Amino acid sequence: MTTLRTFQNEIEDIHMREISKQRAQALADKENLKLSNLKGKGKEDGPAVSPTQSKMHELNLPNEQANFQEMEDRILRLLRTQNPSDHDIARDQIAALLTQNNGEYVLRIGEKPPREELFSGELTDASPGWTGTARTADEISTLTQDITRTVEEVGGKTSVLFEADVGHPRISLLLRLPPPNVALTPEVRCAVVGNVDSGKSTTLGVLTRGALDDGRGRARVGLFRHKHEIETGRTSSVGMEILGFGPSGAPILPNISNTADPDVIRREKLGWEEISVQAAKIVSFSDLAGHERYLKTTLYGLTSGAPSCVVLMVGANAGLIGMSKEHLAIALALNVPVVVCITKIDMTPPNVLAETVKQVVKILKSPGCRKTPVFVKSIETAVEISTSFGKERLCPIFQISNVTGEGLNFLRTFLNLLPSSEGDTEKFAVDQPLEYSITEVWSVPYVGTVVNGIVNAGSIKAGDAVLLGPDSNGNYQTTVVKSMQRKRADVTRAEAGQCVSVALKRIRRAAVRKGMVLVTKTDTPPRAIRQFEGQVLILYHNTTLQKNYQAMLHCGAVRQTVRIVEMDHPQGVLRTGDRATVRFEFMSHPEFVKEGMKLLFREGKTKGLGVITKLL
């Protein structure tokens, strides 16, 4: 029987192999087109060298894969000489460091604590394994002032994340370049999941609005979109919320109230547009439904939203129960990093809280998860784990109270430092033809049909002629991008990895559905697929899966019922834990899918995971 872990590794291999193949093919097509255009235009010019590349060559700066630690040491060494020419080189190196890290970098001065002790919460000044250069408090203070001044020279801002001036003096600084406009603001996408009444909407209300909860759910009311949600207190749709962080790293909160003085009037509520304009980084939350009845909505939010991480909310008073386990299993199956937030710690007796913590740790360490739980109880831990938790199978655990505000500062610091979603070059390719998947459709008065979605590849501009499809017959129709918005602020261009809304010219609302794509206008539009083959693993089924079995398939933004046409299993049936190559057929209309795309199918409690290996 194949284990989930080995199957996931195989899926990742197939996914990466197919993506590399598609990118290589697209680049070859691009080169051929370029060569054919250059024929008859005389000799080709040599490859152009950008000013940045030549500057980096002059300075002998390491490339993106180089060791940033060496760069840090060199910058600090140059700044300490107080020589004007050394200062200029240090400034250029800082600019290169920021450019290579999407406009932000965490610089640590002083000795670094051993990570094992830091993550286990047992760090002391006597702990063995401290690394880096030991510095005095005065040296750190002088270097901090030099760094701040130098970063300001390149147009950036410096803020202190963490500082310790006793024992092993050390400081963590956030260096950040404000983006020139909203179109280039880095975004982190987080999906928030958990059981009913675990505190998802309340936590988001407190994080994004700034005012603490009253213990009766006041903070969540502003997040609800429907009357029945306000009446029942239960989310039934995918709610979208944003939290902006300024260049200094401080959160931009719409309605800060002075909790010590209830008579102080709250500052006027900020809209998404104002937050977007002020923010140097935006964290977008998808508030997904916790009730079992809305599982298909939650699943769609997880597969179509391409989240950087999943925030799993666990009520301290109830523990990891019901749909929380289901949501955790789906996040693990999709290989999305998981963050756990244990809420309601103010109202939970200490013995019940200890039991919940013990249960969460046990589940995370189980063979199905194989995660290393890390309790974030200091700013230093939040800073250290934010950049590495996804790659190292670590699972940060925050214990928070939305009424007293305990633990929220650690969570905000962690969210502020998460790497941006569009920076993931494995998922999103900038140098490919346009591919934009549609996840929402609206009809806006005086604007027309507006679609929301993610740019999976290439770039899109206002005024571009694009193809929309496939429709129910597998055809594509030509349309033009009238205008675009990102977080409700007008933009003229969007790059791969970004989530934008696009207004389409002369397209009826009824002609568009979720799962459609916008692609570059060419003479040969992409094929609409009715049948495909995939490698699948049955995660759970209470009896046997046979030919003609129907289930709901989730594959990126595509959500449609499929039928099993045939399978290569010796017995001709599939049970829990079986894997096979299965041929699927879409029941109602063809879709745009590609080889290497991950898929998840479900029907009742039946769940299967897989990857598309062949289009038929």
Side-chain angles (χ1 to χ4, degrees):
M1 190 182 279
T2 309
T3 65
L4 177 60
R5 183 66 52 235
T6 53
F7 185 68
Q8 276 180 321
N9 292 339
E10 284 177 39
I11 281 182
E12 282 300 323
D13 289 345
I14 293 169
H15 177 66
M16 295 314 298
R17 191 171 66 237
E18 292 298 339
I19 282 180
S20 304
K21 209 188 288 179
Q22 287 158 15
R23 288 185 184 178
Q25 183 61 49
L27 282 172
D29 293 348
K30 215 175 187 179
E31 285 302 313
N32 291 339
L33 188 67
K34 209 181 275 179
L35 285 170
S36 63
N37 288 343
L38 284 165
K39 272 182 185 175
K41 287 188 183 178
K43 201 168 75 173
E44 278 184 66
D45 295 325
V49 179
S50 70
T52 315
Q53 287 172 316
S54 60
K55 187 81 172 166
M56 288 179 72
H57 183 70
E58 279 170 38
L59 294 167
N60 193 23
L61 297 180
N63 61 16
E64 280 179 308
Q65 283 72 38
N67 192 343
F68 290 128
Q69 183 59 52
E70 288 174 21
M71 232 166 155
E72 279 185 30
D73 294 341
R74 191 176 175 198
I75 288 166
L76 296 176
R77 200 165 56 245
L78 290 164
L79 287 174
R80 290 196 69 193
T81 65
Q82 300 298 323
N83 184 333
S85 61
D86 285 350
H87 175 85
D88 290 346
I89 297 170
R91 185 188 59 219
D92 290 336
Q93 290 230 355
I94 285 174
L97 199 61
L98 286 167
T99 308
Q100 290 175 38
N101 288 280
N102 294 330
E104 69 176 43
Y105 190 75
V106 177
L107 180 72
R108 298 166 183 86
I109 306 174
E111 285 185 285
K112 288 183 186 164
R115 295 183 80 201
E116 290 73 20
E117 274 82 355
L118 181 64
F119 288 169
S120 63
E122 296 166 7
L123 180 69
T124 64
D125 289 329
S127 300
W130 289 76
T131 56
T133 310
R135 299 188 190 275
T136 64
D138 289 342
E139 280 181 318
I140 288 174
S141 176
T142 308
L143 281 169
T144 301
Q145 288 169 15
D146 291 342
I147 289 280
T148 305
R149 199 165 52 248
T150 312
V151 170
E152 280 173 1
E153 285 174 25
V154 297
K157 287 265 198 284
T158 306
S159 55
V160 176
L161 294 169
F162 167 81
E163 188 174 11
D165 47 13
V166 290
H168 295 263
R170 59 199 183 277
I171 193 168
S172 293
L173 301 172
L174 173 64
L175 319 181
R176 185 172 267 168
L177 280 175
N181 53 51
V182 178
L184 297 172
T185 307
E187 180 190 14
V188 182
R189 288 187 288 274
C190 297
V192 183
V193 296
N195 199 50
V196 176
D197 301 332
S198 59
K200 297 182 295 300
S201 299
T202 304
T203 304
L204 285 191
V206 171
L207 279 175
T208 60
R209 302 288 203 276
L212 293 174
D213 190 50
D214 61 352
R216 291 183 168 78
R218 183 182 66 183
R220 72 186 177 194
V221 173
L223 273 68
F224 290 144
R225 296 165 66 183
H226 304 292
K227 185 170 177 275
H228 68 265
E229 291 180 328
I230 296 168
E231 287 167 356
T232 62
R234 286 181 179 169
T235 308
S236 65
S237 56
V238 177
M240 293 300 296
E241 285 299 316
I242 64 168
L243 171 61
F245 289 96
S248 65
I252 300 163
L253 300 171
N255 49 7
I256 299 169
S257 65
N258 184 345
T259 47
D261 184 1
D263 297 325
V264 172
I265 298 168
R266 290 182 183 176
R267 199 168 69 196
E268 191 182 340
K269 189 176 182 300
L270 292 179
W272 279 29
E273 308 94 297
E274 291 99 318
I275 294 173
S276 304
V277 168
Q278 293 177 34
K281 178 184 258 183
I282 294 171
V283 182
S284 300
F285 298 102
S286 307
D287 182 15
L288 304 178
H291 199 279
E292 190 172 2
R293 183 190 299 170
Y294 310 117
L295 177 63
K296 67 175 184 183
T297 309
T298 303
L299 252 174
Y300 184 72
L302 279 172
T303 54
S304 66
S308 296
C309 70
V310 166
V311 182
L312 178 69
M313 295 287 176
V314 179
N317 55 344
L320 197 56
I321 55 164
M323 294 307 289
S324 295
K325 291 181 179 176
E326 189 88 19
H327 295 157
L328 176 61
I330 292 161
L332 291 168
L334 294 169
N335 231 357
V336 184
V338 178
V339 179
V340 175
C341 281
I342 298 175
T343 60
K344 307 185 186 183
I345 59 170
D346 56 291
M347 60 169 273
T348 308
N351 61 319
V352 178
L353 176 61
E355 197 57 44
T356 299
V357 167
K358 190 176 163 188
Q359 180 204 15
V360 168
V361 169
K362 185 181 175 185
I363 288 174
L364 289 174
K365 285 183 172 177
S366 67
C369 287
R370 289 207 188 127
K371 297 269 186 191
T372 307
V374 176
F375 288 91
V376 182
K377 292 183 177 177
S378 71
I379 292 288
E380 190 172 18
T381 311
V383 171
E384 281 297 322
I385 201 168
S386 60
T387 49
S388 59
F389 84 104
K391 304 180 192 91
E392 300 181 28
R393 301 203 63 76
L394 300 170
C395 180
I397 299 174
F398 296 87
Q399 296 181 49
I400 61 172
S401 163
N402 294 315
V403 175
T404 64
E406 188 184 338
L408 286 171
N409 201 20
F410 305 147
L411 181 58
R412 277 205 185 100
T413 301
F414 173 80
L415 293 168
N416 179 24
L417 300 176
L418 282 176
S420 66
S421 299
E422 56 261 38
D424 190 345
T425 50
E426 288 182 3
K427 268 190 198 173
F428 308 108
V430 183
D431 55 352
Q432 304 294 300
L434 170 68
E435 184 196 311
Y436 172 98
S437 56
I438 294 170
T439 56
E440 292 278 345
V441 191
W442 306 286
S443 183
V444 179
Y446 310 110
V447 177
T449 302
V450 175
V451 297
N452 186 57
I454 293 172
V455 185
N456 294 321
S459 61
I460 186 169
K461 299 192 296 292
D464 278 359
V466 291
L467 293 175
L468 167 73
D471 60 15
S472 53
N473 299 318
N475 300 322
Y476 289 78
Q477 56 180 317
T478 305
T479 180
V480 174
V481 175
K482 270 203 290 192
S483 59
M484 290 164 55
Q485 284 193 341
R486 185 167 186 232
K487 303 287 168 266
R488 299 179 194 164
D490 290 331
V491 293
T492 54
R493 182 186 176 89
E495 300 286 345
Q498 293 185 341
C499 185
V500 288
S501 299
V502 176
L504 301 174
K505 201 177 266 186
R506 289 193 294 276
I507 294 287
R508 287 181 301 108
R509 162 69 184 85
V512 191
R513 58 178 163 75
K514 294 176 184 179
M516 279 182 156
V517 289
L518 296 177
V519 292
T520 310
K521 189 181 177 186
T522 57
D523 297 334
T524 52
R527 268 197 315 144
I529 304 301
R530 177 70 80 166
Q531 287 194 3
F532 62 91
E533 262 181 22
Q535 285 277 339
V536 299
L537 173 71
I538 308 303
L539 299 175
Y540 178 78
H541 185 61
N542 52 8
T543 54
T544 58
L545 281 173
Q546 299 176 6
K547 207 171 147 183
N548 290 326
Y549 178 82
Q550 292 181 15
M552 180 63 77
L553 178 98
H554 294 266
C555 182
V558 171
R559 180 173 73 179
Q560 197 190 139
T561 309
V562 289
R563 178 174 72 93
I564 293 179
V565 179
E566 59 182 66
M567 55 181 84
D568 71 346
H569 203 264
Q571 279 104 36
V573 292
L574 294 174
R575 295 181 176 85
T576 302
D578 285 354
R579 63 170 291 181
T581 302
V582 176
R583 180 180 287 192
F584 291 101
E585 181 182 38
F586 286 115
M587 293 295 290
S588 64
H589 45 253
E591 297 277 12
F592 174 87
V593 290
K594 297 194 298 186
E595 290 171 353
M597 283 176 81
K598 294 176 191 174
L599 56 92
L600 196 72
F601 60 90
R602 56 159 193 89
E603 187 266 327
K605 291 191 175 179
T606 301
K607 270 187 297 299
L609 171 71
V611 62
I612 297 174
T613 52
K614 192 179 177 185
L615 304 177
L616 302 170

